[in-house]
């Protein structure tokens, strides 16, 4: 283990780097014409790595503003599979008028580092960048190669980030067998102040879908039986109000069984959603992994209030459980009918088991810093770049460790107002990751 004063210095740098990264506006709107900052963030990361001696690969993946930085730290055993540690540099938009502090201030105040991307996921980027620098500066050699990847475009599905790299530069990840990234390793406080750290072992599939209806254009003052706006609205309402069937996947069963073991709470299948509510703030995230969802998010139609348009469109965010795609499609067709045109971009689910040496190393690293805690697997209702890296045969986990205050509504911070990460949690996570990297 690294000497305490040295790892404390790395933990302090993780806080500083996270703040500095948050000051770089890397908003990804999904529209290439309105992108800002990804290149600046990539250049910042590249400079921090090269100044301590890394040879980096700097990849432009979609024009002058889509950039990825990859560096490999040689391990003691080159024959072992490498560990991939990946994080994205882009963030979703934020409206400064809604925030207590400016979302791109990187302010350190009230025990938190504030800013868009503080938990999604510049905190993990700051911690891994600090440790990458720490190992190089102090000639620390991990047991196996570690590939550090800092990526573009995750918030729009990774077309110009992880997807592009897997399709065009798989050589950069040669030998990688396992990977860690965001939205896992964070704590929830259960009964009697017992903390459980949730390690992501599965993700729902993503389908970002566009629905289109065609009708007859005409004057808004006349009677119309073929109104595209009306037909689309009815279809969207049917879909938005539909409840897909409850399905218990293995990862969710294992999570609930672990909570029962810790707390004694029951999760009867005839009232599963009601009993999951006992989990408090995290229940929204866990509840979303009990069934498929299809949430309408945008409507587009017309160009003038007295003109009935010939087409109307809607965007729908669909999240699909592993193994449910065919059943989901059947229900979708029944709900929408034959007159609704559909097109989509789809990313697959991710699923692995909660076992093996890597899981043991995660658990040991967490317990060394928080004795008496537990680690549990869980399914993420959202998605990460793991969806792309699994195509290379890499086993993926979410492990960005944070010890969180019991009263912090962590899940609400993702894409939310006043996104922030506790300073102490960053220091804790850096120490846990150090133990994990040096044991895995």
């Amino acid at each position: 283990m690294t000497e305490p004063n040295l790892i404390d210095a790395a933990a302090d740098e993780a806080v500083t780097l996270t703040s500095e990264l948050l000051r770089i506006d890397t908003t990804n709107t999904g529209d290439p014409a309105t992108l800002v900052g990804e290149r600046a963030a990539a250049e910042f990361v590249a400079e921090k790595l090269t100044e301590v001696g890394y040879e980096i690969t700097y990849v432009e993946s979609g024009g002058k503003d889509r950039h990825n930085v990859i560096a490999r730290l040689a391990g003691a055993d080159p024959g072992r599979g490498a560990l991939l540690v990946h994080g994205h540099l882009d963030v979703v938009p934020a409206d400064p008028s809604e925030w207590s502090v400016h979302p791109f201030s990187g302010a350190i105040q009230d025990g938190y580092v504030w800013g868009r991307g503080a938990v999604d996921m510049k905190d993990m980027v700051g911690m891994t960048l600090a440790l990458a620098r720490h190992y190089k500066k102090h000639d620390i050699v991990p047991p196996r190669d570690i590939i550090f990847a800092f990526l573009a475009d995750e918030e729009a599905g990774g077309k110009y980030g992880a997807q592009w790299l897997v399709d065009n530069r798989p050589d950069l990840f040669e030998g990688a067998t396992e990977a860690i990234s965001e939205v896992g390793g964070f704590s929830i406080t259960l009964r009697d102040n017992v903390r459980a750290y949730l390690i992501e072992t599965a993700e729902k599939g993503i389908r970002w879908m566009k629905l289109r209806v065609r009708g007859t254009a005409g004057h808004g003052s006349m009677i119309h039986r073929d109104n595209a706006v009306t037909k689309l609205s009815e279809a969207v309402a049917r879909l938005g109000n539909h409840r897909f069937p409850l399905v218990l996947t293995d990862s969710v069963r294992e999570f609930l069984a672990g909570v029962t073991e810790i707390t004694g709470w029951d999760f009867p299948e005839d009232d599963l959603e009601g009993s999951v509510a006992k989990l408090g703030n995290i229940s929204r995230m866990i509840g979303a992994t009990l069934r498929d969802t299809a949430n309408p998010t945008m409507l587009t139609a017309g160009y003038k209030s007295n003109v009935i348009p010939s087409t109307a469109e809607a965007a729908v965010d669909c999240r699909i459980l592993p193994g449910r795609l065919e059943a989901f499609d059947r229900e979708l067709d029944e709900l929408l009918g034959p007159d609704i045109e559909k097109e989509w971009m789809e990313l697959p689910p991710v699923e692995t088991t909660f076992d093996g040496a890597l899981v043991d190393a995660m658990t040991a690293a967490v317990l060394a810093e928080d004795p008496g805690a537990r680690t549990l697997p869980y399914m993420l209702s959202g998605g990460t770049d793991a969806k792309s890296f699994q195509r290379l045969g890499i086993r993926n986990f979410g492990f960005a460790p944070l010890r969180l205050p019991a009263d912090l509504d962590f899940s609400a911070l993702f894409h939310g107002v006043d996104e922030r990460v506790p300073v102490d949690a960053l220091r804790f996570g850096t120490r846990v990751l150090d133990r994990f990297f040096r044991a895995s």
Side-chain angles (χ1 to χ4, degrees):
M1 181 62 200
T2 307
E3 293 181 14
N5 62 324
L6 294 180
I7 195 58
D8 287 346
D12 288 341
E13 184 173 50
V15 175
T16 300
L17 290 171
T18 301
S19 174
E20 291 174 338
L21 284 161
L22 291 170
R23 293 176 208 158
I24 305 172
D25 181 352
T26 55
T27 298
N28 184 354
T29 62
D31 178 0
T34 58
L35 293 171
V36 295
E38 279 188 357
R39 178 176 183 171
E43 290 173 346
F44 174 87
V45 169
E47 179 182 354
K48 293 296 181 182
L49 291 171
T50 54
E51 74 179 15
V52 294
Y54 279 95
E55 294 183 6
I56 65 164
T57 302
Y58 194 87
V59 181
E60 296 184 13
S61 53
K64 62 184 180 62
D65 291 320
R66 313 317 292 268
H67 294 252
N68 306 271
V69 180
I70 293 89
R72 185 183 288 254
L73 178 64
D77 184 355
R80 287 189 59 194
L83 175 68
L84 170 62
V85 183
H86 60 95
H88 63 86
L89 299 172
D90 61 323
V91 300
V92 297
D95 182 352
S97 68
E98 298 177 337
W99 285 56
S100 301
V101 300
H102 195 282
F104 299 107
S105 66
I108 302 176
Q109 63 186 52
D110 303 323
Y112 288 84
V113 186
W114 299 68
R116 173 59 84 221
V119 298
D120 187 12
M121 60 170 295
K122 290 180 178 179
D123 56 342
M124 180 62 165
V125 172
M127 291 189 290
T128 56
L129 182 57
L131 286 172
R133 286 168 52 83
H134 172 70
Y135 293 161
K136 204 70 168 177
K137 286 188 289 187
H138 298 285
D139 296 321
I140 295 170
V141 179
R144 57 171 165 166
D145 286 9
I146 300 178
I147 303 168
F148 295 103
F150 304 92
L151 307 172
D153 199 37
E154 189 274 345
E155 295 292 359
K159 180 180 179 180
Y160 298 108
Q163 283 192 58
W164 192 96
L165 291 167
V166 168
D167 289 337
N168 296 279
R169 293 298 308 273
D171 57 293
L172 295 173
F173 311 104
E174 183 178 354
T177 55
E178 295 164 311
I180 64 166
S181 190
E182 60 180 325
V183 207
F186 59 91
S187 71
I188 60 172
T189 301
L190 300 170
R191 196 169 65 182
D192 300 325
N193 204 35
V194 174
R195 278 177 296 279
Y197 290 80
L198 306 190
I199 296 173
E200 185 221 303
T201 58
E203 299 177 5
K204 294 173 82 173
I206 295 174
R207 177 183 289 174
W208 287 322
M209 185 165 61
K210 180 181 288 185
L211 306 180
R212 183 181 299 106
V213 175
R214 302 184 189 276
T216 303
H219 199 289
S221 67
M222 299 182 186
I223 295 173
H224 286 268
R225 304 298 184 192
D226 188 32
N227 189 317
V229 174
T230 301
K231 291 192 292 185
L232 178 70
S233 298
E234 290 171 346
V236 167
R238 288 195 302 271
L239 183 57
N241 290 322
H242 180 69
R243 286 173 65 78
F244 290 88
L246 187 147
V247 177
L248 265 178
T249 60
D250 290 343
S251 57
V252 174
R253 285 185 186 277
E254 193 169 356
F255 167 77
L256 295 177
V259 174
T260 297
E261 185 179 335
I262 294 169
T263 65
W265 298 337
D266 290 326
F267 295 94
E269 292 192 24
D270 59 354
D271 184 29
L272 192 54
E273 288 176 307
S275 56
V276 163
K278 292 182 290 192
L279 295 170
N281 293 330
I282 198 68
S283 64
R284 291 195 302 274
M285 185 179 289
I286 302 303
T289 63
L290 301 179
R291 61 178 79 241
D292 302 328
T293 58
N295 289 312
T297 55
M298 292 190 294
L299 296 169
T300 306
Y303 53 88
K304 198 172 187 294
S305 61
N306 64 346
V307 177
I308 294 176
S310 60
T311 61
E313 295 182 342
V316 185
D317 188 344
C318 305
R319 307 292 171 129
I320 306 166
L321 292 168
R324 272 279 303 170
L325 183 58
E326 290 185 6
F328 179 88
D329 282 342
R330 286 195 300 270
E331 289 187 55
L332 194 67
D333 289 341
E334 291 173 5
L335 286 165
L336 297 178
D339 296 331
I340 309 294
E341 299 175 17
K342 303 185 290 288
E343 62 183 62
W344 58 73
M345 187 275 282
E346 193 163 85
L347 297 170
V350 176
E351 193 167 27
T352 189
T353 52
F354 188 61
D355 55 19
L358 199 73
V359 170
D360 292 343
M362 293 178 198
T363 299
V366 167
L367 297 187
E369 295 294 331
D370 190 2
R374 288 281 303 272
T375 56
L376 296 175
Y378 91 108
M379 178 185 292
L380 176 65
S381 58
T384 74
D385 281 330
K387 295 181 182 304
S388 294
F389 289 119
Q390 71 174 349
R391 291 195 284 127
L392 297 178
I394 296 172
R395 188 183 184 203
N396 292 275
F397 295 88
F399 188 63
L402 299 170
R403 177 172 169 168
L404 300 171
D407 59 351
L408 180 66
D409 190 352
F410 185 62
S411 63
L413 299 177
F414 287 84
H415 298 189
V417 172
D418 285 342
E419 186 179 350
R420 62 199 184 277
V421 62
V423 170
D424 288 346
L426 284 170
R427 293 192 174 114
F428 171 89
T430 305
R431 295 194 303 270
V432 170
L433 284 173
D434 175 55
R435 291 180 181 274
F436 169 67
F437 290 153
R438 292 167 63 87
S440 61

